[in-house]
Amino acid sequence: MDALQLLINRRSEKKLTAPAPNKTQLQLIFQAALNVPDHGRLHPYRFVVIEGDALKKFGTLLKETVYEFELGSEKFKKAENLAQRAPMVIAVIAKINKETKVPAWEQMLSAACSTYAIQLAANAQGFANVWITGKWVDGSALRKAFHCQKNDKVIALLMIGTAEEKLEREKKVQDINEFIHYLA
């Protein structure tokens, strides 16, 4: 797929099914993620791949978050379903190093860029995905399972798989003029 078309036509897909990327495809996805802008070459991110039987454990961790934050029965049902929504989840953790001259916000942006690179690299190989966050990412059981340190922040749960339905969508053509100004 042409890179420009990939960028222009990227969409989130919530209904995902198998297959998910295999090991070889994941290698390419992570190579893309490791080549994003990164001031100081800190690689302020890491990834946790969740697939197969680990999706059940992931569901349990999400439900523990519901209890921890007293989110209620509706969120409990959502937690049960969330872990079954895709054949693969990639958690992206921003590793913020406060002992460097690179500001924390720049490190966070680099981690966000790596997340987007994962999405695009998956799309380029024919896989659909959606980036979710929410209160789930702050659960202490989830953070512990992901080996998060004090300054780490789970910034994404990327659901990845094959689009269940190939929906024909209207092309999003946006008026760029409202977003762009030139310094005179």
Side-chain angles (χ1 to χ4, degrees), residues 38-45 95 97 100-103 107 110:
D38 178 9
H39 183 184
R41 298 183 190 169
L42 298 174
H43 295 291
Y45 39 75
K95 301 183 322 177
N97 179 349
T100 180
K101 68 176 183 163
V102 179
Q107 295 176 59
S110 183

Side-chain angles (χ1 to χ4, degrees), residues 90-109:
I90 299 176
V92 181
I93 295 101
K95 301 183 322 177
I96 306 304
N97 179 349
K98 296 194 177 193
E99 304 297 318
T100 180
K101 68 176 183 163
V102 179
W105 66 267
E106 280 192 44
Q107 295 176 59
M108 187 70 76
L109 290 176

Side-chain angles (χ1 to χ4, degrees), residues 139-169:
S140 57
L142 185 80
R143 288 180 52 78
K144 182 177 180 183
F146 290 171
H147 305 286
C148 290
Q149 302 298 311
K150 178 183 166 193
N151 293 329
D152 291 353
K153 175 74 177 157
V154 181
I155 63 164
L157 299 172
L158 292 174
M159 308 294 203
I160 300 178
T162 301
E164 212 170 82
E165 302 171 6
K166 296 282 185 186
L167 298 175
E168 288 299 318
R169 294 183 178 166

Side-chain angles (χ1 to χ4, degrees), residues 76-183:
F76 186 84
K77 288 178 187 171
K78 187 172 183 177
E80 286 181 320
N81 294 330
L82 200 56
Q84 300 169 20
R85 251 177 60 189
M88 177 182 285
V89 177
I90 299 176
V92 181
I93 295 101
K95 301 183 322 177
I96 306 304
N97 179 349
K98 296 194 177 193
E99 304 297 318
T100 180
K101 68 176 183 163
V102 179
W105 66 267
E106 280 192 44
Q107 295 176 59
M108 187 70 76
L109 290 176
S110 183
C113 286
S114 74
T115 305
Y116 191 50
I118 289 171
Q119 287 190 289
L120 292 175
N123 287 150
Q125 295 181 83
F127 297 101
N129 58 73
V130 63
W131 177 343
I132 66 167
T133 54
K135 196 68 174 166
W136 317 109
V137 300
D138 294 321
S140 57
L142 185 80
R143 288 180 52 78
K144 182 177 180 183
F146 290 171
H147 305 286
C148 290
Q149 302 298 311
K150 178 183 166 193
N151 293 329
D152 291 353
K153 175 74 177 157
V154 181
I155 63 164
L157 299 172
L158 292 174
M159 308 294 203
I160 300 178
T162 301
E164 212 170 82
E165 302 171 6
K166 296 282 185 186
L167 298 175
E168 288 299 318
R169 294 183 178 166
E170 187 177 319
K171 296 227 184 236
K172 283 199 299 190
V173 178
Q174 300 192 24
D175 181 5
I176 63 171
N177 293 320
E178 64 183 270
F179 299 98
I180 301 169
H181 298 280
Y182 291 90
L183 184 63

